[in-house]
Amino acid sequence: MGTIFKRFAPHRVLFSSPLLRPLPGRAAEFNTCSRCLAEQTERNSSMPPRLLSEVDAKGRPLPAQKPRTRRNASDYGEFPKWKVLSGTILIGVIAYDMHTNSIDPEHPDEHLEAPTIAERDALIKRESGVSPSSSMRLRMEAFIKEQQASIVRELEAVDGSRFRIDEWERPEGGGGRSCVLQDGKIFEKAGVNTSVVYGTLPRPAIQRMRANHKALDPDVEALEFFAAGLSLVLHPVNPMVPTVHLNYRYFETANADGSPNAWWFGGGTDLTPSYLFDEDAIHFHRTIKDACDKHDKSYYERFKKWCDDYFRVKHRNESRGVGGIFFDDLDEAEKDQENLFNFVQDCCKAFVPSYLPILQKRATLPYNDQEREWQLLRRGRYVEFNLVHDRGTAFGLNTPGARVESILMSLPKQASWSYMHAPKDGSREDRLLAVLRQPKDWV
């Protein structure tokens, strides 16, 4: 049996292959069958061997079959109705799936999720770099990084110490570089940070921002946003050297295709002395005014008042320092994007000439423990403003994925609070408080 059927298809197996061995007690029958088979074989010895598929079980030739012909659908009779119904259901399921998943059969790629603006910008930077024709997002990012590197070099040259540099990334997109110097010869703590943040604004945040930016679409549930800024705070060792702050930033919301939806610039710089030297305040304000006047003669006066109003420690009824300039939400209602970008660049570049001459003049002046204690008390007021009133600090801390260490870089390493402290009448400390309670014009 095994010899007859082993590997017979599709090979030619002859019918004359050996037969099964007979079972015990069936020898006679087997011999009879063998004789018949021998006679049949002798009769057919002149015939060619046949395929197993051409004979029946007894070795007789099978009747010839007609060649197969192609049939038409009508030859099968009526098509079963259950098959028609099954096909209809299948087509319906496919159509429903395409509808609920918003798949256009003629444009199957349209259902794929569009790249975020963070992904778009990363691709452009890798493939093309940043040029004058790049988007404002990329140009502002490049500018603040360039200024950060330049300012850090200047401050390291003055202090003689090196900044610690930390680079970080946000899972949502973007990142930043934090440059911090602590316990230096000139600076007790100095920080120069850049941050580039990508994210999504929820509907409530969009509604709040529309108060100042009517270009924001009020009907969307969320908008992608981009924010980039350079922030600087220097807390010197010597109480005779003023603390200084600088921040320049750009904010943009984007449409689904990555194009700008709304945009604006903000920023400013201000001086916070513990001991007031009028000539220092005058130099600082005059340098800033020169930068403003190059773009609009009304800028300095407007933005100085804005600074005096914004940097107000309201619960103390005094200003944080002797001011500078501050502005926010400057968009197309103010000037076109290029003009405002040029204005921000000039103000930022004015920082070094506005502050370094003051630093170099005061850093070697002598001071005593009482003056050091007054410096720490004034730093306490600085902390109060930053944690209670500053919008930038609040925005940073409430942004998902925020880097807290970089946001709180602005706080001094040491500060002090003394219960019911009041300076002596007519003292230098008393004069400073008088100026802080009633801001004055310096130029």
Side-chain angles (χ1 to χ4, degrees), residues 1-13:
M1 185 74 174
T3 306
I4 294 176
F5 292 103
K6 188 192 316 182
R7 299 177 61 191
F8 74 89
H11 303 289
R12 298 173 66 89
V13 181

Side-chain angles (χ1 to χ4, degrees), residues 307-336:
C307 182
D308 291 338
D309 293 341
Y310 179 79
F311 290 104
R312 190 82 179 168
V313 187
K314 298 179 178 64
H315 57 279
R316 299 283 188 180
N317 192 32
E318 62 187 43
S319 296
R320 189 175 75 174
V322 295
I325 61 169
F326 175 83
F327 56 88
D328 202 5
D329 303 318
L330 297 189
D331 55 18
E332 66 275 1
E334 179 70 35
K335 277 185 172 60
D336 65 76

Side-chain angles (χ1 to χ4, degrees), residues 248 267-271 281-282 284-286 288-289 292-293 296-312 319 321-328 330 343 347 435-436 438-443:
Y248 291 103
T269 183
D270 62 288
L271 200 66
I282 292 170
F284 184 78
H285 278 264
R286 181 172 290 152
I288 299 169
K289 184 177 184 300
C292 291
D293 287 350
D296 193 310
K297 296 294 185 182
S298 69
Y299 274 177
Y300 172 75
E301 185 177 352
R302 284 173 56 196
F303 298 156
K304 178 194 179 297
K305 184 179 186 310
W306 202 339
C307 182
D308 291 338
D309 293 341
Y310 179 79
F311 290 104
R312 190 82 179 168
S319 296
V322 295
I325 61 169
F326 175 83
F327 56 88
D328 202 5
L330 297 189
F343 167 63
C347 287
V435 172
L436 297 182
Q438 185 60 49
K440 61 180 294 184
D441 294 330
W442 297 102
V443 293

Side-chain angles (χ1 to χ4, degrees), residues 148 154 413:
Q148 179 188 40
E154 294 279 0
K413 188 177 180 184

Side-chain angles (χ1 to χ4, degrees), residues 157-381:
V158 170
D159 190 278
S161 305
R162 301 298 299 271
F163 278 79
R164 169 180 171 170
I165 300 176
D166 294 328
E167 295 191 349
W168 48 275
E169 294 182 355
R170 293 180 73 251
E172 298 84 354
R177 178 182 295 160
S178 298
C179 302
V180 178
L181 187 158
Q182 291 188 146
D183 300 319
K185 297 175 183 177
I186 303 297
F187 300 110
E188 185 174 296
K189 184 179 179 184
V192 187
N193 289 357
T194 55
S195 62
V196 178
V197 176
Y198 292 86
T200 303
L201 289 175
R203 189 181 181 89
I206 297 171
Q207 295 294 340
R208 288 194 299 271
M209 288 183 174
R210 286 201 78 246
N212 296 316
H213 305 284
K214 301 303 182 184
L216 287 169
D217 188 345
D219 299 323
V220 296
E221 290 301 320
L223 278 174
E224 284 191 90
F225 77 86
F226 166 88
L230 168 66
S231 183
L232 171 155
V233 178
L234 308 179
H235 295 290
V237 174
N238 194 319
M240 303 301 156
V241 183
T243 289
V244 68
H245 160 258
L246 169 149
N247 176 274
Y248 291 103
R249 58 194 177 272
Y250 174 73
F251 193 94
E252 179 182 301
T253 60
N255 298 309
D257 62 357
S259 61
N261 176 269
W263 56 267
W264 59 90
F265 290 93
T269 183
D270 62 288
L271 200 66
T272 304
S274 297
Y275 286 92
L276 179 61
F277 294 88
D278 286 21
E279 61 190 278
D280 293 349
I282 292 170
H283 170 79
F284 184 78
H285 278 264
R286 181 172 290 152
T287 307
I288 299 169
K289 184 177 184 300
D290 290 343
C292 291
D293 287 350
K294 288 171 59 178
H295 299 271
D296 193 310
K297 296 294 185 182
S298 69
Y299 274 177
Y300 172 75
E301 185 177 352
R302 284 173 56 196
F303 298 156
K304 178 194 179 297
K305 184 179 186 310
W306 202 339
C307 182
D308 291 338
D309 293 341
Y310 179 79
F311 290 104
R312 190 82 179 168
V313 187
K314 298 179 178 64
H315 57 279
R316 299 283 188 180
N317 192 32
E318 62 187 43
S319 296
R320 189 175 75 174
V322 295
I325 61 169
F326 175 83
F327 56 88
D328 202 5
D329 303 318
L330 297 189
D331 55 18
E332 66 275 1
E334 179 70 35
K335 277 185 172 60
D336 65 76
Q337 195 175 60
E338 288 300 321
N339 273 320
L340 290 175
F341 183 42
N342 291 335
F343 167 63
V344 166
Q345 291 180 86
D346 285 342
C347 287
C348 188
K349 291 175 181 178
F351 166 73
V352 170
S354 72
Y355 182 71
L356 252 59
I358 299 172
L359 175 68
Q360 292 165 339
K361 186 186 299 184
R362 309 298 174 193
T364 57
L365 292 179
Y367 62 93
N368 56 37
D369 290 344
Q370 180 183 350
E371 291 165 335
R372 168 66 173 169
E373 180 60 29
W374 174 251
Q375 180 194 44
L376 296 180
L377 288 171
R378 295 313 307 168
R379 286 184 178 172
R381 300 293 196 268

